[in-house]
Amino acid sequence: MGGCVSSCTRVAVINWIESDQTRERFHQGKTMIKKVLIGIVCGAAVLTVGILIGHFGITKGGSSGPSWVEDVAKDVDQSLIEKFLSEVDNIQIQENLRELTKVPHMATTAGDEQTVQFMLKRWQDAETGLDDAWREEYLVYLSFPDPKNPNKVTVVSPSDTVLHAIREKEKTYNPEEDDPAVVQPYAAYSPAGHPKGKLVYANQGKPSDYQVLNQTVDLRGTIAITRYGGAGRGAKAINAAPYGVIGVLVYTDPLDINDGLMSDINETYPHSWYLPPSGVERGSFNVQFGDMLTPYLAAKEDTYRIPAEDITGIPPIPIQPIGFEDAYILICALDGENAPQDWQGAFNCTYKYGGPGFKPTSAFNGSDVKLDIFNYEEVKNSSNVMGIIRGSVEPDRYVIYGNHRDSWVHGAIDPSSGTSVMLELTRVLGRMVKQGQWRPRRSIIFGSWGAEEFGLIGSAEYTEQYFAKLSERTVAYINVDIAVFANATLSASGMPSVQNIIFTAAKQVDAPGLVSTSVYDNWIKYSNRTSPAHGVIPRIGYLTGAGSDYAAFAHYLGITSMDISYTYDRSKTNARIYPAYHTAYDTFNYASKFIDPGFLSHQAIARTAGNVLIQLADSLVLPLNCSDYAETLEDYLKTAVSLYEEKLESRKISMEPLKRAVANFRSAASHLDNVIRTSDLANETPLKVRAINDQLMLLDRAFLDPLAFPDKYAYRHVIWASSSAGQPTFPGLADAFANADLSGQSSDWNKVHYHLSVASQAIEGAAQTLVDVI
């Protein structure tokens, strides 16, 4: 009995214990379930709140991530371009030009300072100005005529009797041309002097002209009369001096500027745009650009200056420009053999070499021509006016837009047409910035350059002062100097990579005065070419010389550059430039009456150049095309092979390295274009976009070789250096070949081989910058 009780009791205890544990587990389970349910409810609540926050954040803020993410991925806004185009006002441009041309504003004069103040006032305006504007000062070496001793040119008898005096001041047709600040026609940087000698006619003053003339006439002690064109201004005297010529006159032949018209009674200004008989083209007669006393250094107060006697590239003998009314009198009185047919001009007489001197039947028989030149040189303060709009995403990348401000007289077309356009661009863009409607991705720098007419001085000094910063950071340079030569069609020059962006802009702008026709469609009618890649397209020229302020940016810094203008129909005139160029007649009246009545071509240029500016400043990927560059290099190669390969092979000089380099550049360009085309760069990391943009931005820098052209000041770009050979191919190779072919000397053929290697390796090196990083 006792065992049974004990066993039952044990079972009962065990059952009690187990039931107690079960209850505990049950309670624990309930607690766990409660916690899980609470967690689920809380998680759902958090998720719901997150969705709501995300929804309203996207709706209200535009992005669920940091604010900079959208900015970094943003591309150019076409609606903003349309707004810009609609707001560019031709009447505003007209009024800008009226203000800019009120007084003559030759560099460093009181009129120039007046335009400096006008630019600053506009760019510092609270409603339409830029983020900042200031002036940059340089002390530069300039040349002026002495107002107390005007330059004179006379025909004098053996007894020094004056038989004829050249007009010292242009004829006045309108009051503004009689302004006391109108500078006498002169040749800047011509030395003072008083040469006297028999007159000869030397055509355009090219080396070949003097060579031909010297075969017939003893040039020692003579005065040469030359016409504009063919050779640079200063070169006409530089080329003459080795032959013993002691003075030079230069004039504009009516054949070259007026389509032969000569009478101001009913043919020339003030009846048309043609140059009147007394009109004289002023100009700078130096060969190099930049301040001549501070080569490769910014011309600041404490900068080292070379001695003036060490300056090169200026006339070694006195030279003076004159009007064609006086040139007619002199040339038609000359004795000697008839000049070649291609030396003949518009005068109704046969142009002769000169006996030297005048015909026995002339009233000037036995007489000399005398130059009394009183020019002097002076170091003076010249100002650039600078303005900026700061970039929002890449403020350390610069798009530079420039135009010089100084003129020889009133300068309505050169340069104030460009300045009036630039002021309208900054008014429209500045107002957008001030009103918070827009800020460019990249920074925009505006430059109103000083002393350009004396040799591109303001822009050259700027590039020398900021060489490192501009080299590292500048995307492109846009030059609009003479905005409107005439009102027929667009004209543009630049590196091949800018072709696409200019075309794009031109397609979005209406051609002035034409219904449903774009600037692009109008342009292609006047000047076109056939591209293997694009078919028939407008022809864009190349920046192979130093005609305006793009020179230092393109040739010295290797910055992708362009020059844009509106111009005339070259099938209807032989004018080498607009006829009032650098004369007292380049006034507001001339511009508004004969060049662009209504200022619609000015408006078209403002819209086109401004469109290019916005796209360069705002595009996610820089709109520069490497394959278009490759096409140009292939064209250059084709010309070089055709002209040079046979003779080079005969001298054991192979063109294969050049062929390989161009082929490799094409391959690399195609590769980069394909990367850009196939990548969704808006969703890539910003660094990938930046890397591609750097490849595009720095392409022209890759063609720089500071040792390639030791005899050409500031020319470092192997593809676009100036050339005297006149062939559309690699300039160093072309010039070296022409020289070697003429001399036949082995040392000159070695230079050909050298320049072939320079071009090959520059192109190969540039190609390597376009491939993937290794």
Side-chain angles (χ1 to χ4, degrees):
M1 181 165 171
C4 179
V5 172
S6 298
S7 176
C8 289
T9 303
R10 189 166 56 251
V11 170
V13 170
I14 290 171
N15 288 338
W16 180 82
I17 293 171
E18 287 178 345
S19 63
D20 189 58
Q21 290 173 337
T22 299
R23 283 193 298 272
E24 185 177 349
R25 283 197 297 271
F26 175 74
H27 288 301
Q28 288 175 344
K30 284 178 67 179
T31 303
M32 185 180 298
I33 291 169
K34 187 185 292 184
K35 289 181 178 179
V36 170
L37 289 173
I38 291 171
I40 290 172
V41 171
C42 290
V46 169
L47 181 61
T48 301
V49 171
I51 290 171
L52 290 172
I53 291 173
H55 169 73
F56 286 107
I58 291 170
T59 303
K60 303 296 183 184
S63 174
S64 59
S67 60
W68 57 263
V69 171
E70 185 183 5
D71 290 339
V72 166
K74 186 170 61 177
D75 208 345
V76 64
D77 182 352
Q78 289 300 320
S79 65
L80 180 128
I81 289 179
E82 291 171 8
K83 176 178 173 61
F84 166 79
L85 296 178
S86 69
E87 293 188 6
V88 171
D89 188 347
N90 59 307
I91 302 303
Q92 288 281 353
I93 297 173
Q94 173 185 290
E95 294 311 305
N96 290 343
L97 190 67
R98 193 190 305 275
E99 184 68 30
L100 288 163
T101 56
K102 281 184 175 178
V103 296
H105 47 283
M106 189 169 67
T108 73
T109 64
D112 185 30
E113 177 60 25
Q114 188 171 316
T115 60
V116 168
Q117 295 300 328
F118 177 60
M119 299 294 294
L120 284 172
K121 180 180 179 182
R122 288 289 297 273
W123 284 357
Q124 292 172 348
D125 185 87
E127 295 182 357
T128 60
L130 307 176
D131 287 332
D132 198 6
W134 64 96
R135 59 195 296 165
E136 297 266 7
E137 310 289 356
Y138 300 98
L139 286 169
V140 301
Y141 183 74
L142 304 181
S143 167
F144 302 99
D146 186 346
K148 297 179 180 178
N149 292 294
N151 295 340
K152 298 180 184 299
V153 178
T154 52
V155 179
V156 295
S157 70
S159 61
D160 270 351
T161 301
V162 175
L163 303 179
H164 179 73
I166 302 297
R167 182 190 288 270
E168 296 175 19
K169 185 179 178 182
E170 291 151 305
K171 184 177 177 180
T172 298
Y173 300 99
N174 289 289
E176 63 267 28
E177 298 149 20
D178 203 30
D179 190 305
V182 172
V183 69
Q184 176 198 14
Y186 78 111
Y189 300 110
S190 164
H194 308 277
K196 182 174 72 170
K198 296 291 186 290
L199 188 68
V200 295
Y201 171 57
N203 192 29
Q204 296 177 322
K206 302 187 298 289
S208 59
D209 292 334
Y210 287 111
Q211 185 178 19
V212 168
L213 182 60
N214 193 54
Q215 293 170 358
T216 304
V217 181
D218 183 354
L219 293 178
R220 290 174 295 179
T222 61
I223 304 292
I225 183 168
T226 64
R227 67 200 222 196
Y228 274 118
R233 297 187 192 99
K236 297 176 190 298
I238 293 171
N239 297 336
Y243 292 94
V245 176
I246 58 174
V248 176
L249 299 175
V250 59
Y251 77 101
T252 303
D253 198 282
L255 182 68
D256 303 322
I257 203 78
N258 278 6
D259 298 315
L261 300 178
M262 295 175 55
S263 173
D264 64 349
I265 296 174
N266 59 1
E267 293 178 330
T268 67
Y269 181 82
H271 309 286
S272 73
W273 81 323
Y274 289 121
L275 180 68
S278 68
V280 182
E281 178 184 320
R282 297 152 181 80
S284 180
F285 282 66
N286 55 325
V287 173
Q288 298 171 356
F289 58 88
D291 177 59
M292 289 184 286
L293 292 182
T294 59
Y296 297 114
L297 296 170
K300 293 297 188 178
E301 186 173 4
D302 55 356
T303 302
Y304 166 75
R305 286 171 168 78
I306 65 172
E309 56 268 24
D310 290 346
I311 291 174
T312 58
I314 58 175
I317 55 178
I319 182 169
Q320 174 72 15
I322 64 174
F324 69 74
E325 66 174 0
D326 285 308
Y328 173 83
I329 293 170
L330 297 178
I331 288 176
C332 288
L334 280 175
D335 197 11
E337 295 183 15
N338 292 350
Q341 184 57 42
D342 60 353
W343 288 33
Q344 301 298 315
F347 302 150
N348 61 352
C349 65
T350 300
Y351 292 36
K352 297 178 177 292
Y353 287 139
F358 301 106
K359 300 173 185 175
T361 56
S362 164
F364 302 154
N365 179 37
S367 300
D368 290 328
V369 170
K370 184 181 181 186
L371 279 62
D372 290 297
I373 307 301
F374 298 95
N375 296 347
Y376 67 97
E377 292 72 45
E378 184 179 1
V379 173
K380 296 192 69 176
N381 187 81
S382 178
S383 303
N384 290 342
V385 181
M386 309 302 301
I388 58 167
I389 298 176
R390 294 185 181 87
S392 58
V393 178
E394 300 179 82
D396 63 329
R397 289 293 180 261
Y398 310 146
V399 181
I400 305 177
Y401 183 109
N403 155 248
H404 73 96
R405 184 188 62 259
D406 66 302
S407 63
W408 284 112
V409 192
H410 291 87
I413 301 303
D414 182 13
S416 299
S417 63
T419 308
S420 62
V421 162
M422 180 162 63
L423 283 171
E424 178 61 1
L425 295 190
T426 57
R427 181 190 72 84
V428 176
L429 297 179
R431 183 167 63 182
M432 288 180 179
V433 170
K434 297 289 186 182
Q435 293 179 352
Q437 299 175 3
W438 172 73
R439 182 165 290 281
R441 177 187 189 91
R442 303 175 184 92
S443 294
I444 300 174
I445 300 175
F446 293 97
S448 174
W449 314 120
E452 186 268 1
E453 295 292 7
F454 287 86
L456 319 181
I457 291 177
S459 56
E461 300 314 297
Y462 177 75
T463 60
E464 289 168 347
Q465 182 175 2
Y466 300 106
F467 177 90
K469 183 165 67 171
L470 296 177
S471 296
E472 294 292 331
R473 300 179 180 179
T474 306
V475 167
Y477 174 68
I478 303 167
N479 194 68
V480 182
D481 177 352
I482 299 175
V484 178
F485 290 85
N487 57 2
T489 179
L490 188 73
S491 176
S493 298
M495 275 65 164
S497 54
V498 306
Q499 172 181 277
N500 178 63
I501 187 175
I502 297 175
F503 288 172
T504 299
K507 289 175 181 177
Q508 296 177 332
V509 177
D510 294 333
L514 299 176
V515 178
S516 302
T517 302
S518 69
V519 165
Y520 178 90
D521 291 335
N522 183 57
W523 181 12
I524 205 171
K525 297 175 185 176
Y526 286 92
S527 177
N528 59 66
R529 70 179 183 90
T530 300
S531 159
H534 308 297
V536 179
I537 56 175
R539 182 180 296 277
I540 289 185
Y542 302 137
L543 301 178
T544 53
S548 189
D549 288 299
Y550 55 75
F553 293 94
H555 301 308
Y556 183 49
L557 295 186
I559 290 169
T560 301
S561 301
M562 68 197 82
D563 186 74
I564 304 174
S565 63
Y566 230 72
T567 191
Y568 43 87
D569 182 352
R570 294 189 178 274
S571 70
K572 294 182 177 179
T573 177
N574 290 322
R576 63 181 179 84
I577 198 167
Y578 73 97
Y581 175 68
H582 287 188
T583 72
Y585 308 113
D586 189 358
T587 61
F588 178 83
N589 175 65
Y590 179 83
S592 60
K593 188 173 182 180
F594 299 115
I595 299 295
D596 188 24
F599 288 81
L600 296 179
S601 295
H602 283 76
Q603 183 183 45
I605 282 296
R607 287 171 168 169
T608 305
N611 191 340
V612 170
L613 176 64
I614 293 171
Q615 291 189 62
L616 283 167
D618 266 2
S619 293
L620 175 65
V621 179
L622 290 173
L624 303 174
N625 189 292
C626 300
S627 291
D628 287 340
Y629 219 127
E631 185 176 298
T632 296
L633 295 178
E634 288 163 350
D635 287 344
Y636 267 25
L637 175 65
K638 184 178 179 180
T639 301
V641 168
S642 173
L643 293 175
Y644 311 139
E645 185 169 43
E646 186 176 345
K647 282 197 175 182
L648 291 181
E649 284 181 345
S650 71
R651 294 183 172 273
K652 303 294 189 292
I653 301 173
S654 173
M655 294 191 73
E656 290 306 313
L658 185 59
K659 295 177 182 178
R660 284 196 303 271
V662 172
N664 289 341
F665 187 94
R666 164 62 76 177
S667 176
S670 299
H671 170 73
L672 182 58
D673 284 348
N674 186 60
V675 168
I676 295 170
R677 186 171 54 253
T678 59
S679 299
D680 182 12
L681 293 174
N683 293 310
E684 289 282 0
T685 65
L687 288 179
K688 180 172 182 178
V689 179
R690 177 81 162 199
I692 289 173
N693 281 339
D694 281 354
Q695 287 177 292
L696 295 168
M697 178 183 81
L698 298 173
L699 173 58
D700 273 294
R701 252 71 111 217
F703 289 107
L704 294 182
D705 184 341
L707 303 179
F709 310 108
D711 58 334
K712 293 181 179 179
Y713 178 80
Y715 282 92
R716 307 194 304 156
H717 200 300
V718 169
I719 308 301
W720 307 120
S722 65
S723 170
S724 58
Q727 299 293 346
T729 188
F730 309 104
L733 176 62
D735 284 352
F737 184 92
N739 188 47
D741 199 35
L742 185 65
S743 74
Q745 296 186 17
S746 59
S747 60
D748 288 332
W749 285 108
N750 289 339
K751 291 179 182 177
V752 176
H753 194 176
Y754 169 75
H755 278 286
L756 184 66
S757 297
V758 166
S760 302
Q761 295 191 18
I763 296 167
E764 189 70 62
Q768 289 298 315
T769 70
L770 301 180
V771 300
D772 296 334
V773 176
I774 56 171

